[in-house]
Amino acid sequence: MGREPIKYIIPGIIAVALPFVLPGYYVHMLILVLLWITLATSWNLLGGYAGQVSFGHALFFGLGAYGGGLLFYFFGISTWWGMLVGPIWAVIVAIPIGLITFRLRGPYFALAMLAVAEVARIIFNSWTSFSNGAVGIMISRTWGGNKLPYYAIILAIAGLALYVTRRLVRSKFGYYFLSIREDQDAAEALGIPSTKYKLYALIPSVFFTALAGAFYMNYMAFIQPDVVFDLTDISIMMILCVMLGGAGTQWGPALGATVYVLLAECFRTIPVIKEVHLLAFAIIIIGIIMFLPDGIVGSWDKVSRCFARPKAAAAGAAGQYEPGPEAKEGLRKPEA
Amino acid sequence: MSLLLQALVGGLLLGGIYALIAIGMTLIMGVMRIINLAHGALMVMGMYISYALFKHFGLNVYLGIFVAVPALFFVGYILQRFIIRRVTEIETVLPETQVLLTLAIGLAIIELLRTIFTSNYQTVEIPGVSDNAFYFAGISMSYAMVIGFAGALILIAGLHFFLTGTDLGRSIRATAQDSEAARYMGVNTRHVTCITFGLGSALAAAGGILLLPAYYLYPAVGNAFTLKAFIITILGGMGSTVGAITGGVLLGIVESLAATYWSMGYQDLVGLVIFLLVLVFLPGGLQTLFKRK
């Protein structure tokens, strides 16, 4: 307990100091990394912990982005108000959607969410008088080329998302989420109102996704329905980031998001094959699901054993504890 | 009136081809109990094989079926045998891991096609077929769509005879009904699931190629077709071939009516809304409506 704060203070100081040291391009990359950490972490709360795999989180990202965008488009109000309006709007929309779709289970819930997100994309694309259609909304950046304020904001959002997830998961709610994920019928038999607790997971998840969307509007200064409601680039990438790092773990989504953004940037610098970063990422994900189905962090035991084997053999640590199948079956601790 | 008839006929022709694509998904869903989100990607892969043969060797697109369909059967078989099966046999945190795996496979295929063929829209023009139409009772019918519809009907009939008349077909149906019982009766269910996945991919590819002369082609079109196939499967009730045909024709007609009377932009919206309504209120598909009576 005593060492707990130090574990967070040191990375915190590094995170605050980094943009002052690095050149602008790297700060842009860090901003993207933090944006994706926020998205993956918030998806993980609903998908990883409560087990409700949503294929439509782009809906909430897009609503968050359009919250500020529409305020600017219709009333000329600063898009920064979108940071407040976007998430609230998205949560208000999400609650009835959740109440309806939570009746469905597993893949049917996932695909119903996908359908809802696609409906929103089509409406925003075609209903020109409401959303300016496929042309999108363009603003001028508040701070121009200066990236430091944006970095500070997204760092705060990502930190808050991670903190809220951690607090929720370590409270009574976290155990309720896990019990719904592991066996919804058993959870209900034990008196857990599953729809209510799924909503409790949905609301913060939607809030932070939309907050990231509102930030995206302010940072990129240009949004289009096909970009912010995109199935592949937003909804699916959020899921794959979580799968890479490990669903239902605190740091897995953050790791997955970091790998995703850095991979994309690395490939972009290589001239001939710059477009293949998604292909490479998809192949990595296939490999991860095949060999480490619980993600890198979620299967850390397996990963570390691979690396530790030569040393452990040398030290003669033969009696190492190997979790049997029954240990895996049981409820996982919220913190991996 | 003639506008309505025109829309209905157009929808029917399109729906027949949709049905062929959706039957592939229904078959996989019935036997393996997973949703194959790589379905549209496999379809597009078949379309690109046929397109490449046409482009480089001048092979007729319809003849490309005889190359692309066996190729996709092979691809589907390999995917199931070496990749997907691994994951169906292990415990994971999320029960949807297999579905997410097919999602990643679909993404990889689409990105691979994008790398090879770029994201540009491609069209295949067959003189006299793509740009030609005949009139029947005052309704214009495109040759490409009529040929596609007829091809889809022939393939569906062929599949029907395969499933009901051959030993392998019966094994597939037995595995779909109860895979454990089938295993006790001596059916090699592992082999059957691989065959089924190959067959489903091959049917999707055939449907895609039949659509090719009347349609345009780009890698990401696969995602739209995965969703369409899934909508049809839900409309028709899972694992039901007749249901898939009804659902396919229904979706084709609804899309065609929406495009005619509302707007092209909202064409896909109608299908999605019907899908959501059916999913929430009629989880067994449209056939529950008739059974209740």
Side-chain angles (χ1 to χ4, degrees), chain A residues 23 29 31 37 80 86 110 119 125 150 156 183 204 206 211 218 242 244 265 273 290 300 309 311 331 336:
Chain A
M29 261 170 62
I31 291 174
I37 287 178
W80 287 106
V119 166
N125 245 335
Y150 294 106
D183 191 336
V206 166
L211 196 58
N218 283 300
V242 175
L244 177 62
E265 290 301 319
I273 52 167
M290 280 173 70
W300 187 247
R309 195 169 291 150
K311 268 188 217 163
L331 274 188

Side-chain angles (χ1 to χ4, degrees), chain A residues 24-298:
Chain A
Y25 167 69
Y26 293 97
V27 178
H28 171 69
M29 261 170 62
L30 285 177
I31 291 174
L32 287 184
V33 166
L34 288 167
L35 181 74
W36 277 95
I37 287 178
T38 314
L39 290 177
T41 304
S42 46
W43 188 90
N44 185 39
L45 185 61
L46 182 68
Y49 287 109
Q52 306 303 307
V53 174
S54 152
F55 281 8
H57 257 48
L59 168 66
F60 309 121
F61 185 78
L63 287 179
Y66 264 95
L70 292 178
L71 279 182
F72 172 78
Y73 181 64
F74 283 112
F75 309 109
I77 300 170
S78 159
T79 45
W80 287 106
W81 285 102
M83 305 281 282
L84 191 67
V85 175
I88 293 171
W89 183 31
V91 168
I92 291 171
V93 173
I95 289 172
I97 291 175
L99 284 174
I100 296 168
T101 53
F102 282 146
R103 297 172 46 166
L104 306 165
R105 292 201 186 179
Y108 302 102
F109 169 78
L111 286 148
M113 291 299 286
L114 189 156
V116 176
E118 282 292 289
V119 166
R121 187 180 65 81
I122 294 171
I123 291 176
F124 274 83
N125 245 335
S126 303
W127 192 1
T128 318
S129 57
F130 165 62
S131 65
N132 206 19
V135 179
I137 293 170
M138 200 167 175
I139 59 166
S140 56
R141 268 192 189 172
T142 316
W143 291 296
N146 183 8
K147 296 213 162 55
L148 282 181
Y150 294 106
Y151 179 82
I153 292 166
I154 192 64
L155 182 65
I157 293 174
L160 194 66
L162 282 165
Y163 176 74
V164 167
T165 308
R166 189 181 181 77
R167 286 304 296 265
L168 263 179
V169 165
R170 293 200 153 186
S171 69
K172 183 183 80 175
F173 291 92
Y175 289 96
Y176 282 13
F177 294 163
L178 290 192
S179 66
I180 291 171
R181 180 185 80 194
E182 295 294 325
D183 191 336
Q184 188 180 325
D185 296 318
E188 285 194 345
L190 289 171
I192 297 170
S194 66
T195 306
K196 193 168 142 192
Y197 277 88
K198 284 177 192 170
L199 267 188
Y200 287 154
L202 177 73
I203 290 169
S205 173
V206 166
F207 184 88
F208 283 110
T209 308
L211 196 58
F215 172 80
Y216 181 91
M217 166 86 243
N218 283 300
Y219 180 60
M220 291 298 180
F222 175 54
I223 52 169
Q224 268 180 309
D226 279 339
V227 172
V228 292
F229 289 106
D230 194 272
L231 173 65
T232 314
D233 288 345
I234 311 283
S235 293
I236 292 179
M237 281 309 144
M238 281 163 92
I239 305 172
L240 295 187
C241 286
V242 175
M243 290 308 289
L244 177 62
T249 60
Q250 170 86 46
W251 297 105
L255 177 71
T258 313
V259 171
Y260 165 60
V261 174
L262 295 186
L263 199 70
E265 290 301 319
C266 287
F267 273 105
R268 204 156 290 164
T269 53
I270 308 171
V272 187
I273 52 167
K274 58 185 166 191
E275 293 301 325
V276 300
H277 69 271
L278 276 179
L279 178 61
F281 189 65
I283 290 170
I284 292 173
I285 294 288
I286 293 172
I288 289 280
I289 295 180
M290 280 173 70
F291 298 106
L292 300 170
D294 293 340
I296 297 174
V297 175

Side-chain angles (χ1 to χ4, degrees), chain B residues 87-198:
Chain B
V87 179
T88 47
E89 288 166 3
I90 45 175
E91 282 279 324
T92 53
V93 168
L94 290 179
E96 284 86 11
T97 306
Q98 297 94 331
V99 181
L100 293 174
L101 180 64
T102 61
L103 183 74
I105 292 172
L107 183 68
I109 291 173
I110 286 178
E111 290 306 320
L112 184 68
L113 292 172
R114 205 195 295 281
T115 316
I116 301 173
F117 295 98
T118 74
S119 342
N120 294 342
Y121 280 46
Q122 314 282 1
T123 48
V124 175
E125 298 280 335
I126 307 175
V129 173
S130 298
D131 50 0
N132 215 340
F134 64 89
Y135 286 87
F136 181 79
I139 300 158
S140 91
M141 292 190 192
S142 140
Y143 276 109
M145 289 309 288
V146 172
I147 293 174
F149 184 74
L153 285 189
I154 292 168
L155 283 170
I156 291 171
L159 179 73
H160 178 75
F161 286 119
F162 170 71
L163 287 180
T164 51
T166 63
D167 276 353
L168 189 58
R170 287 199 200 96
S171 313
I172 290 176
R173 287 194 300 141
T175 314
Q177 272 179 12
D178 189 333
S179 93
E180 267 180 34
R183 197 152 54 234
Y184 294 145
M185 297 299 131
V187 174
N188 184 350
T189 50
R190 284 188 166 188
H191 182 66
V192 165
T193 48
C194 296
I195 294 276
T196 311
F197 206 94

